Amino acid sequence: MSRQGLVALACLWIAGLAGLVSWGGQAAEIPLQDRQSGYQLMTPETRAMQDDDAANPGMLWVLDGEALWQRKDGRANLSCADCHGDARQSMKGVAARYPAVDPGLQKPVDLEQRIEMCRTEKQQAPPLRAEGKDLLALAAYVARQSKGMPIAVVEDDHTRPFISAGREIYERRQGQLNLSCANCHDDNSGKRLAGSPIPQAHPTGYPLYRLEWQTLGSLQRRLRNCLVGMRAEPYAPGAPEYAELELYLMWRARGMPMEAPGVRP
Amino acid sequence: MLALTMTAPALAMDPQPYAVVGDTIPLSLTGGRGDPAKGRSIVATRTQGLCLLCHSGPIPEERLQGTLAPNLAGAGSRSTEGQLRLRIVDASRVNPDTIMPPYYRTDGLERVSKSFAGKPILTAEEIEDVVAYLLTLREAP
């Protein structure tokens, strides 16, 4: 998988105001009732953009995805719809429980990876380009069918080891700046990094349209941005660490409503 | 001649040894005094000093400042030169849980990206410039 266009975009970490004052203290995990989506930190204009289908740029990808869903492809000459029927029925709630542990692979696969598996194994077509337009469009279309539904990743015997692995990565300091994800997203969320309010990092809206990217992007791309900001070596494209982090983040956001396709600054 | 040009950049990059006395590094890392004007520009530049990601400070032209850390105004009256030097070089020696990055330490870090691996965030000269600038900040916000 080659991820393109991701390079120096990084968390630009911009814009300004004042917060509260308590330095240092290591906070624990955010209590369930105190969780909030990054949506809550956005300006009214950006919220309105996400809320209005006519203004939400992510809807363009959803429409493309709807067309791709119907298109026959691969040596099997089958469309997604040939096997899955009407996505509004068959894909309802699916994105809300991804990443999911694949019984064959015995490891978590995220929504994009699951779609690629159907593409290569069921349609017998060449894989779509990671972070490319078509894969994002299909992911946005599938994820859209869960809009408003609660995130339903559960901790059980299958997911537990991978959730723990994701949490371990989340809490580990890394990079030249020696920061962990938790340092910012648990201990300092709501404060401003340069000018940007630090969200709690709930992956409710992916794939989402980021104004800074001027395009739709996956959760992996977002994680890569933060790793670059920490001056840590991003994991290789498709590396298991991403699915583990994504699984942990989705479990951490369990019960929160899905927003895809979201909009973020 | 060749050996000199080859080793000079490596010397500038590798952190040089320094002596910690109590909560200070009393001696300049370069043996000389820093330039406060250069230090101000390092602090103000988000991609170089990174300070304003977390801190605010008396740098009005930089509108986007952080709220994760104390205002730097008055830093020069709250700490001595040696305390400021240790704080920048390796803040974890002052507060083991700190989120402030270690600006002059390359060991004990994990998964540093290739472009920054083995390099301190700031050079010895830059740290002396920053210390010299912080010492001019006498007035609390």
Side-chain angles (χ1 to χ4, degrees), chain A residues 14-19 23 26 172-179 183 188 191-194 231-233 235, chain B residues 46-47 50 52-53 64-70 97-99 101 105 109-114 116 119-121:
Chain A
I14 24 171
L17 209 103
W23 326 116
Q26 300 284 301
R172 180 197 305 159
R173 289 188 186 239
Q174 44 174 318
Q176 194 195 32
L177 306 192
N178 201 30
L179 291 169
N183 281 156
N188 285 292
K191 296 185 191 167
R192 283 178 185 258
L193 187 70
R231 301 189 176 177
E233 186 63 22
Y235 301 101
Chain B
R46 205 181 305 137
T47 49
L50 310 163
L52 298 184
L53 283 176
L64 307 180
Q65 305 197 351
T67 62
L68 274 62
D97 291 334
T98 193
I99 57 166
R105 163 155 76 85
L109 305 177
E110 279 187 53
R111 305 194 65 263
V112 176
S113 70
K114 285 192 196 75
F116 294 107
K119 300 173 192 162
I121 303 171

Side-chain angles (χ1 to χ4, degrees), chain B residues 9-39:
Chain B
L11 275 178
M13 278 306 172
D14 282 341
Q16 298 300 297
Y18 52 82
V20 177
V21 180
D23 64 348
T24 71
I25 300 176
L27 297 179
S28 162
L29 301 175
T30 60
R33 297 197 71 79
D35 174 346
K38 283 192 191 148

Side-chain angles (χ1 to χ4, degrees), chain B:
Chain B
M1 187 60 201
L2 182 67
L4 257 183
T5 46
M6 299 283 288
T7 51
L11 275 178
M13 278 306 172
D14 282 341
Q16 298 300 297
Y18 52 82
V20 177
V21 180
D23 64 348
T24 71
I25 300 176
L27 297 179
S28 162
L29 301 175
T30 60
R33 297 197 71 79
D35 174 346
K38 283 192 191 148
R40 186 183 191 279
S41 127
I42 293 165
V43 170
T45 310
R46 205 181 305 137
T47 49
Q48 191 184 11
L50 310 163
C51 317
L52 298 184
L53 283 176
C54 297
H55 290 273
S56 49
I59 301 184
E61 73 275 17
E62 275 301 316
R63 226 173 31 83
L64 307 180
Q65 305 197 351
T67 62
L68 274 62
N71 193 311
L72 290 174
S77 53
R78 287 191 292 272
S79 310
T80 64
E81 177 183 328
Q83 285 173 327
L84 289 170
R85 191 174 287 114
L86 179 59
R87 164 56 73 180
I88 314 292
V89 162
D90 188 356
S92 71
R93 310 267 309 234
V94 185
N95 169 9
D97 291 334
T98 193
I99 57 166
M100 179 158 155
Y103 279 85
Y104 200 61
R105 163 155 76 85
T106 51
D107 59 324
L109 305 177
E110 279 187 53
R111 305 194 65 263
V112 176
S113 70
K114 285 192 196 75
S115 40
F116 294 107
K119 300 173 192 162
I121 303 171
L122 295 176
T123 64
E125 289 74 18
E126 288 164 341
I127 288 179
E128 291 306 324
D129 293 341
V130 169
V131 169
Y133 167 64
L134 293 175
L135 282 170
T136 68
L137 304 180
R138 313 293 308 172
E139 254 170 70

Side-chain angles (χ1 to χ4, degrees), chain A residues 203-220:
Chain A
T204 44
Y206 291 84
L208 60 69
Y209 189 91
R210 192 165 176 219
L211 300 172
E212 190 185 306
W213 294 334
Q214 295 193 28
T215 187
L216 201 79
S218 69
L219 179 55
Q220 282 200 19

